[in-house]
Each structure stands twice: as C-alpha cells, then as structure tokens.
Amino acid sequence: MNFDDKYNLYVEEFNSVLADFCSSLDCRPQILCDSLKYSLNLGGKRIRPVLMFAVGDLLGVEKRKLMNFALALELIHTYSLIHDDLPEMDNDDFRRGKPSNHKVFGVGNAVLAGDGLLNTAYSVLLKECKNGSDYISAAEFLCDCAGIYGMIAGQSADLLHEGDTGYNETTLDFIYENKTCKLLICAVVVPSILSGGRCYSELKAFGRDLGLLFQITDDILDVEGSFEELGKSTGKDNEEKKYTSVNVYGLDGAKLRADVLAQRCRTLLEGIDGDGEFLTQLVDFIRSRNR
Amino acid sequence: MNFDDKYNLYVEEFNSVLADFCSSLDCRPQILCDSLKYSLNLGGKRIRPVLMFAVGDLLGVEKRKLMNFALALELIHTYSLIHDDLPEMDNDDFRRGKPSNHKVFGVGNAVLAGDGLLNTAYSVLLKECKNGSDYISAAEFLCDCAGIYGMIAGQSADLLHEGDTGYNETTLDFIYENKTCKLLICAVVVPSILSGGRCYSELKAFGRDLGLLFQITDDILDVEGSFEELGKSTGKDNEEKKYTSVNVYGLDGAKLRADVLAQRCRTLLEGIDGDGEFLTQLVDFIRSRNR
C-alpha cells in the first residue's frame, strides 16, 4: 500500500470512530450539541490519530486499544483550536475553509463548546482507566501534555509575547515545544506506554522534532501558502508580529531548520526496530506539505 | 462544636490543601500561574468541599480519601466562574468583591486560566484512579456532573434563554438542575461512591434539592442583597431578563419555593442513618444566608 492510501485508511478508521461518537452525542440544548459536532466535523489532516495508529502498528499495539486515546486527543486538539480562534486569542475567522466556531455560534457558545470538548475528552479517558494501570498512565501522560505544563503553557506564552518587538530563540522554543509539540509527543508516546514503555525516549524525541517540523512548515505556509490551499487566513503571523520561526530565523533560516529537523526525525526512526517506512514517509509529507 | 466553628474547620482543612496545591504550582509563563492562583484564592464559601467533608463524616469516609476530589471539584467550580464572568457570557466585572479574572489578566488569559484549571482537575483525579475502581467511578461521576450532560448543558441553556420574553418552569428547572445542582450533587455523591454506594439515591436527591435551594436564595439575594455583602453586582438578573426563580415565580413565590426545598432537604437527611445535625444546620444556613 502506498503512503497516501495508508494515510487515508488511518483517517477513515479514525473518522468512523469519530462519527460513532458524534452520533452518540445527545446533549441539550441543541446549540451545544451542534457546536461540538460542527468543529469535530471540520475535517483536517487528523495528524494526531494517524501518528498514534502508525506508531501503534510499529510497536504492535492493537488499534482497538488506541481508539479512545486517539479520540480524546482529537477532542482536546479541537477544543484548543476553538479557544485559540477566539477574538481575544488568535482572532481567526476561518478554520479549514469554514467559519470558526465563534463566527457560527457566537463567542459564549464557542467558549462552552471548547470546555465541553475538553471535559468530554476526560470522560472518554476515565472509561479507559478501568482497563488497568498502563491505561491510567497513558491518560495521565495525555493530561500532562494538554495542561498547564504542556499545551496551555505554550498558548499562554504565545499570547504573552504577541507584539514583542524583538525575538529570541529560547522563547520561540518554549512556545513551540509546548503549544505544538506536546500533543504530537502524546500521539507517539501513548502507544509506547501501552506497550510497556517500548522506545519511550526515542519516540518522545521523535514527537518533539516532528512537532517542531510541523509548526515550522506551518509558519512557512503562512508566508508562501494561499487561503485556498490552507482554508485559513495567511500572512497574519507577520502582520501581527507573532513569534514564529520565520520571524526569528527568516524564511530561508526556517526552511533550513525544517530540513535539519526532518533529518533528525528520520534518524530517530532508523533507531527503532520494526517497519518505520510509513512514519518516514510521513516526515517527508509534513516537510513538503502545502496545506 | 457549634455550626460556625465546624463550618470554619472544614474550610480551614480545605484551604490548607488548596494552599499546598497552589504553592506546588510552578507553571510558566508567570502570568498563567498568577491567574490560576488569583481565582483560586478569591476565597468564597467553599460550599462544595464543606458539603463533601460533612457527608464524608456522616458516612464514615476518611477525609484523606476525599481531599483530592474536593480539590478537583473546587478547581472545576473556579474555572466555571472564570468563564462565566467573561464579557460574552455573564459579563461580570466583580467576583467576591474583587475584579474578575479577565478584568485583571485580560480575556485571552482568563480563557486559558479556565482551561488550565479544568485540565488540572483531571490531572488530580487521574492520580486518584490508581487507588482502585471506586475511585475511578467517583472521578467519572464528577466528570459527568461537570460536563455536557451536566454543568455545561446548564450554562449553555442559560446563555440560550437570556433575554427570552416569556419564562417557563421547565426551562428554569433544566438550567438550575444542571448549572447549579450538578456540582452540589457531585459533592454529596462522591463520598457515597467511596463508601460502596451508601445512601446513593437519597444523597443524590438531597444534592439536587440543596442545589435548587442554593440557587434560589442566590436569586433572592440578587434582588435583596447588596454589593457590599455579596462582593458582586446585584440587580443584574432582572435588568438582563435572565431566567431566574424570581422572574419565573416572583419574589414571594421564590421564597416560598426555597422554604419547601429546605424542608425537603431536612426530610431527606432524617432518612439517613448517622449524625446529620451539621448538614441540617447547613440547610438552614443556606436558606437564611445573606452573602
């Protein structure tokens, strides 16, 4: 099976679980239910579930063990986008080519939709906890990645440094390693925890480098991509003087850094026993993506 | 020991755990850490922890088993206040006599502070899950109470019906039973779950009635209380045509309903074996409170 087919297969498997989850939602009032489903069904690359399944295949972890972790992770990723798009945060009116949650449902409902998705992620994870202590450890890891020492710390630093007149690499690293990398690290480390810790350190390092690569290619696309390809506004980072790799290293510097990170990702994968071909291709896909 | 002393003792025990928790927080950036601590340290009646400890004493559940559940519940209650006070939600500039989180730290940081507290509540609960299946069940119950079939559903309905020109009792009940009652039900049911389900149904009914009583006395205070006593704006409910018991039943009707609920709470407590004196006094305290 070629890379695209395998990627799409992982996405389909995940989307099928997500569709079941969405049809099981019957909360009231209707606007709450609708706003949750709206953002969950905006599509997207589903990179976190795909990564989790691919690492699961590499380590021999059955997909059924990972499904609810992938679901919880995507719920958390989706809540973070809803809150990030809010006017007083990143102020994005579009997400994946469609109006952001708050543009459709209003800011109040968008705040609650985000809260609802975050809480529901833990409802999904707590059910998994009954399966044993490895599952609890995996849920705790996910929780740490999403929380105030993880993604939220990165979002907070991002907000704090918006509009800074000078840039420095340490701050950029802190923002990216938390805001972007932590959920990608989570995607690749959860299968390791569920396999008794196989290749834990290598996968953690791989998740970090892949996360940085992902974010830097995002920055490059913000300069070189188009609204049509990306489904969101471009050129915003520079206008708003955001802390981005392009603003810190320049466009060529960011591209060079992306190449170095992609190479580091490949080397880390070579050090792991098993069939790492798909993940290696995924690294190349992320480096060369245009959306 | 009289009622006030016992109440204050419970509050002190909880505040000591909360103080330890706050001093263990060392997330970055500093503004994230500060905004979490600011709202956690605004004080308040700590009614949920007090209720949980009192029911624990009634059922003979050791306080050390309840501490982290009380902490998680208060973290969730605090996050809900931060998000509820936001301009596009209830738009409250004051909370407990001090500026709301978003007035001090800005809306973006207040969104993140709420997210951070919610996520941290689950970090606390997941640690408890290692203690066994009763603890997992208690955490699941708390999660359901806080989520899209619980508190968040109530907040969403509250937002949806703001400014309605007519009122009906069914909608009021839905809002109150979810927005206010669910976390109080949680406070009294968690000790039951940790004691193998003792008096589960009675306590659930008690939590609901006490929650309604609490909310209705809040509505009455919004009409009759003062900013100085309450530490928040009064008279807002009527101005904004909010769904409140006073708007649905009239002031006298709301007081009558509060009396009926208080009596139902006392009757439910009489049906539970053990020393229910403090909880009975707590019912009277809530009925006659002026803050």
Side-chain angles (χ1 to χ4, degrees):
Chain A
M1 203 184 293
N2 70 26
F3 173 76
D4 285 350
D5 288 345
K6 196 157 186 181
Y7 195 105
N8 292 333
L9 188 64
Y10 283 139
V11 171
E12 276 167 35
E13 286 177 298
F14 177 74
N15 282 345
S16 151
V17 169
L18 184 67
D20 288 347
F21 170 78
C22 283
S23 48
S24 77
L25 287 175
D26 67 344
C27 54
R28 288 186 298 152
Q30 195 59 44
I31 194 172
L32 174 62
C33 215
D34 290 346
S35 65
L36 301 175
K37 290 181 189 175
Y38 177 80
S39 288
L40 288 172
N41 290 318
L42 281 181
K45 293 173 286 294
R46 308 292 189 205
I47 189 91
R48 290 156 199 80
V50 167
L51 259 177
M52 195 185 280
F53 296 159
V55 173
D57 280 347
L58 177 66
L59 301 180
V61 180
E62 291 167 75
K63 206 166 282 123
R64 63 172 180 81
K65 291 187 178 177
L66 297 171
M67 276 301 178
N68 281 332
F69 287 97
L71 178 60
L73 187 55
E74 195 70 4
L75 293 177
I76 286 179
H77 171 59
T78 305
Y79 114 74
S80 78
L81 298 182
I82 295 175
H83 282 186
D84 226 34
D85 286 343
L86 289 172
E88 302 240 10
M89 303 277 288
D90 253 10
N91 192 22
D92 274 312
D93 287 354
F94 288 94
R95 173 65 63 182
R96 293 165 185 162
K98 302 217 177 94
S100 312
N101 193 293
H102 68 273
K103 295 302 284 183
V104 180
F105 300 99
V107 170
N109 285 308
V111 170
L112 291 175
D115 295 345
L117 290 173
L118 176 56
N119 201 81
T120 305
Y122 289 104
S123 172
V124 170
L125 289 174
L126 284 167
K127 280 193 190 74
E128 289 298 309
C129 287
K130 302 227 158 154
N131 293 324
S133 66
D134 278 359
Y135 291 78
I136 301 175
S137 298
E140 284 188 283
F141 191 86
L142 200 160
C143 185
D144 288 344
C145 289
I148 60 172
Y149 302 99
M151 182 182 69
I152 292 172
Q155 291 174 300
S156 178
D158 196 22
L159 197 61
L160 179 67
H161 291 286
E162 206 177 296
D164 274 11
T165 47
Y167 302 110
N168 72 71
E169 218 172 313
T170 316
T171 302
L172 183 78
D173 282 347
F174 181 83
I175 295 172
Y176 283 11
E177 284 180 10
N178 286 291
K179 184 176 171 164
T180 313
C181 296
K182 285 288 170 78
L183 292 197
L184 293 182
I185 290 173
C186 177
V188 301
V189 166
V190 161
S192 162
I193 295 173
L194 294 181
S195 69
R198 273 195 56 205
C199 307
Y200 183 92
S201 311
E202 296 89 328
L203 284 165
K204 205 168 166 183
F206 171 70
R208 176 189 168 277
D209 286 346
L210 195 73
L212 289 174
L213 173 63
F214 187 84
Q215 185 59 58
I216 292 173
T217 55
D218 214 54
D219 297 341
I220 296 170
L221 284 171
D222 185 73
V223 178
E224 297 192 330
S226 67
F227 180 88
E228 288 66 33
E229 284 165 332
L230 296 171
K232 62 181 179 181
S233 322
T234 56
K236 272 185 78 232
D237 294 344
N238 196 37
E239 273 169 37
E240 292 171 7
K241 293 192 189 285
K242 289 205 59 131
Y243 243 100
T244 71
S245 58
V246 171
N247 287 339
V248 174
Y249 302 113
L251 186 58
D252 288 341
K255 287 180 182 176
L256 187 66
R257 197 155 156 72
D259 288 332
V260 170
L261 285 162
Q263 188 49 45
R264 272 180 16 197
C265 285
R266 288 184 208 101
T267 307
L268 280 162
L269 287 172
E270 281 164 18
I272 297 174
D273 276 345
D275 180 3
E277 194 190 349
F278 176 80
L279 284 165
T280 306
Q281 290 169 331
L282 187 62
V283 172
D284 298 335
F285 165 74
I286 289 175
R287 174 64 193 91
S288 60
R289 74 200 173 100
N290 60 4
R291 61 187 175 91
Chain B
M1 203 184 292
N2 70 25
F3 174 76
D4 284 352
D5 288 345
K6 196 155 186 184
Y7 194 105
N8 292 333
L9 188 64
Y10 283 140
V11 171
E12 275 167 35
E13 286 176 300
F14 177 74
N15 282 345
S16 150
V17 168
L18 184 67
D20 288 348
F21 170 79
C22 283
S23 49
S24 77
L25 286 175
D26 67 343
C27 54
R28 288 186 298 152
Q30 195 59 44
I31 194 171
L32 174 62
C33 216
D34 291 345
S35 65
L36 301 175
K37 290 181 190 176
Y38 177 79
S39 287
L40 288 172
N41 290 319
L42 281 182
K45 292 173 289 293
R46 309 292 189 205
I47 189 91
R48 291 156 198 79
V50 168
L51 260 178
M52 195 184 282
F53 296 159
V55 174
D57 280 346
L58 177 66
L59 301 179
V61 180
E62 290 167 77
K63 206 166 280 122
R64 62 171 181 82
K65 291 187 176 176
L66 296 171
M67 276 300 179
N68 281 331
F69 287 96
L71 178 60
L73 188 55
E74 195 70 4
L75 294 177
I76 286 180
H77 170 60
T78 306
Y79 113 76
S80 78
L81 298 182
I82 296 175
H83 282 186
D84 226 35
D85 285 343
L86 290 172
E88 302 241 8
M89 303 278 286
D90 254 10
N91 193 24
D92 275 312
D93 287 354
F94 288 93
R95 172 66 64 182
R96 293 165 185 162
K98 302 218 178 94
S100 312
N101 193 293
H102 68 272
K103 295 302 285 184
V104 180
F105 300 99
V107 171
N109 285 309
V111 170
L112 291 175
D115 296 346
L117 290 174
L118 177 55
N119 201 82
T120 305
Y122 290 105
S123 172
V124 170
L125 289 174
L126 284 166
K127 280 193 190 76
E128 288 298 309
C129 286
K130 303 226 159 156
N131 293 325
S133 65
D134 277 359
Y135 291 79
I136 301 175
S137 298
E140 284 187 283
F141 191 86
L142 199 160
C143 183
D144 288 344
C145 288
I148 60 173
Y149 302 99
M151 182 182 69
I152 292 172
Q155 291 174 300
S156 178
D158 197 23
L159 197 60
L160 179 66
H161 291 285
E162 204 177 298
D164 275 10
T165 47
Y167 302 111
N168 73 71
E169 216 173 314
T170 318
T171 302
L172 183 78
D173 283 349
F174 181 83
I175 295 172
Y176 283 9
E177 284 181 10
N178 286 290
K179 186 176 169 163
T180 313
C181 296
K182 286 288 170 78
L183 291 197
L184 293 182
I185 291 174
C186 178
V188 300
V189 166
V190 161
S192 163
I193 295 173
L194 293 181
S195 70
R198 273 194 58 203
C199 308
Y200 182 93
S201 310
E202 295 89 330
L203 285 165
K204 205 168 166 182
F206 171 71
R208 176 189 169 277
D209 286 346
L210 195 74
L212 290 174
L213 173 63
F214 186 84
Q215 185 59 59
I216 292 173
T217 54
D218 215 54
D219 297 341
I220 295 169
L221 285 171
D222 185 73
V223 177
E224 299 193 329
S226 67
F227 180 89
E228 288 65 34
E229 284 164 334
L230 295 170
K232 61 181 179 180
S233 322
T234 56
K236 270 186 81 234
D237 294 345
N238 195 37
E239 272 171 38
E240 292 171 7
K241 291 191 189 288
K242 290 207 56 135
Y243 243 100
T244 72
S245 58
V246 171
N247 286 338
V248 174
Y249 302 113
L251 186 59
D252 288 341
K255 286 180 182 175
L256 186 66
R257 198 157 155 71
D259 288 332
V260 171
L261 286 162
Q263 189 48 47
R264 273 183 14 198
C265 285
R266 288 184 208 102
T267 308
L268 280 161
L269 287 172
E270 281 165 17
I272 298 174
D273 277 345
D275 180 3
E277 193 190 350
F278 176 80
L279 285 165
T280 306
Q281 291 169 329
L282 186 61
V283 171
D284 298 335
F285 166 73
I286 289 175
R287 175 65 192 91
S288 60
R289 72 200 176 100
N290 60 1
R291 61 187 176 89

